[in-house]
Amino acid sequence: MKKILLACLMLFSTYTFAQKSKKAQLVPKPLYSDPVYDGAADPVVIWNKGEKKWFMFYTNRRANVKNLDGVSWVHGTRIGIAESKDGVKWKYRDTCDIQYRLTDYTHWAPEVIENKGIYHMYLTYVPGVFKDWRHPRHIVHLTSKNLLNWKFKSKLNLASDRCIDASVFKLPDNKGWRMYYNNEMAGKSIYYADSKDLYTWEDKNTKLIGDKGCEGPKVFYWKNTYWMVVDNWKGLGIYSSTDLLTWKRQPKNILQEPGKGVDDGVMGGHADVVVNGDKAYIYYFTHPGRTPENKGTDNAITRRSVIQLAELEYQDGEITCNRDKPLSISLKP
């Protein structure tokens, strides 16, 4: 009888611990800081089916490295990876093993999706480390089975030699996939390409969004509507669509006004959106040191960037975001 009682007690304890581990966690501010260069930006979040963890991939700028001229601090790094069991508590894991590297290469703004057990990355690749922005960059396709080791598949032939920031969305009715990207040579406009299999892409050489310069498009489906969030460098612009081709801009940007949380007192930048059940959460980055009193200053304080997390809300056909609202969540795979 004692053995039975002991077994029941152990089973109950295990169940109680499991239930507690699934409880919502209070979202901290900042959500995540890179421990190597202190320059995490451009996040994308995906569930690792093999490890049963959330992975966050991010551009990592060399914010804390001294004596880097111009914008060379934004160049010269690989994509960082952080991991989490609940989408809230993150810890540094590694950098991506991208098996496509030239001398003095730069990796930016990954898009990562999963299809039929294969992970696909569409990565902005800069063939060098430069002090200014006037250099080629392109999008490359890689695949992986574990989200760590990535094999090069192709360099995409898109509208110009300065295309960045891919966002890939599955079209309805099994019609394939659509990639939205930033064509910098067309006034920082959003163009698109289509694919039937994620490997071969047909560029449409067509501007979909160009009313305001932007970058970092992210397309998602929520509240029976297709949405695109873009970085306008004055907060994040929001567009809606019924056909994934014609996009209507809503009047107000989100994350434009400073928040009150730690490292959140400036506008939000280049984001990812995770739709989880009926909720939508936005992972964005900030430069905490870029406050009005630091205007014109370029140093480790103003270069530093961190990742933040907030919930999107829907009201009267528009998306809003109260970044100061206390948030407790646990993402479900």
Side-chain angles (χ1 to χ4, degrees), residues 146-331:
N146 61 8
L147 287 173
L148 294 169
N149 310 107
W150 294 88
K151 295 182 179 180
F152 173 77
K153 293 297 178 181
S154 67
K155 172 184 172 183
L156 276 58
N157 184 21
L158 300 175
S160 75
D161 66 351
R162 281 173 55 183
C163 292
I164 65 173
D165 299 351
S167 174
V168 176
F169 188 82
K170 188 174 184 179
L171 298 173
D173 303 321
N174 292 318
K175 291 183 179 179
W177 304 77
R178 180 158 295 155
M179 175 186 293
Y180 300 86
Y181 64 90
N182 177 211
N183 180 3
E184 296 191 296
M185 298 300 289
K188 298 290 285 184
S189 299
I190 304 302
Y191 278 51
Y192 80 106
D194 284 346
S195 176
K196 295 293 185 182
D197 59 5
L198 292 172
Y199 291 88
T200 302
W201 291 88
E202 178 186 358
D203 184 65
K204 301 299 183 177
N205 196 26
T206 300
K207 182 188 297 186
L208 294 182
I209 292 177
D211 59 320
K212 294 185 178 181
C214 63
E215 62 187 17
K218 182 65 182 184
V219 176
F220 60 100
Y221 184 74
W222 186 52
K223 301 295 183 182
N224 298 314
T225 303
Y226 299 109
W227 303 94
M228 184 189 299
V229 57
V230 300
D231 187 351
N232 288 127
W233 318 292
K234 291 183 179 180
L236 303 179
I238 303 290
Y239 294 83
S240 61
S241 176
T242 57
D243 62 3
L244 291 166
L245 288 174
T246 303
W247 295 88
K248 179 182 178 181
R249 184 183 183 92
Q250 74 176 38
K252 294 182 179 179
N253 285 4
I254 64 171
L255 301 176
Q256 182 172 358
E257 299 302 321
K260 298 177 182 177
V262 177
D263 288 346
D264 205 25
V266 293
M267 64 184 177
H270 191 136
D272 187 26
V273 175
V274 176
V275 177
N276 208 239
D278 63 347
K279 302 286 189 178
Y281 303 103
I282 187 162
Y283 290 80
Y284 61 98
F285 84 95
T286 65
H287 282 290
R290 294 189 178 179
T291 55
E293 56 268 28
N294 288 334
K295 187 175 181 180
T297 302
D298 182 23
N299 56 26
I301 294 174
T302 58
R303 290 176 176 182
R304 175 176 177 258
S305 58
V306 299
I307 307 299
Q308 304 279 10
L309 172 60
E311 182 177 356
L312 297 180
E313 297 181 4
Y314 177 82
Q315 185 176 5
D316 299 327
E318 295 186 359
I319 284 179
T320 61
C321 182
N322 180 359
R323 68 205 298 183
D324 294 324
K325 179 181 178 181
L327 180 60
S328 295
I329 69 169
S330 180
L331 291 186

Side-chain angles (χ1 to χ4, degrees), residues 23-94:
K23 285 184 178 180
Q25 298 290 326
L26 182 65
V27 173
K29 286 187 178 294
L31 182 77
Y32 176 77
S33 301
D34 177 77
V36 181
Y37 291 115
D38 207 12
D42 312 336
V44 62
V45 175
I46 188 172
W47 179 249
N48 185 324
K49 291 183 175 180
E51 296 195 18
K52 300 189 184 308
K53 296 176 182 176
W54 293 97
F55 269 31
M56 176 165 60
F57 297 84
Y58 57 93
T59 304
N60 201 10
R61 287 96 166 264
R62 296 182 291 170
N64 59 12
V65 177
K66 298 179 180 179
N67 302 319
L68 295 179
D69 296 334
V71 294
S72 58
W73 64 278
V74 182
H75 296 74
T77 52
R78 294 159 67 177
I79 297 301
I81 307 172
E83 63 181 23
S84 172
K85 292 182 179 180
D86 55 18
V88 177
K89 292 184 177 180
W90 294 90
K91 65 178 182 179
Y92 179 78
R93 171 67 178 264
D94 204 343

Side-chain angles (χ1 to χ4, degrees), residues 115-131:
N115 184 53
K116 298 179 180 179
I118 300 295
Y119 298 101
H120 297 259
M121 178 185 291
Y122 298 91
L123 174 72
T124 300
Y125 190 97
V126 186
V129 176
F130 305 108
K131 297 180 182 180

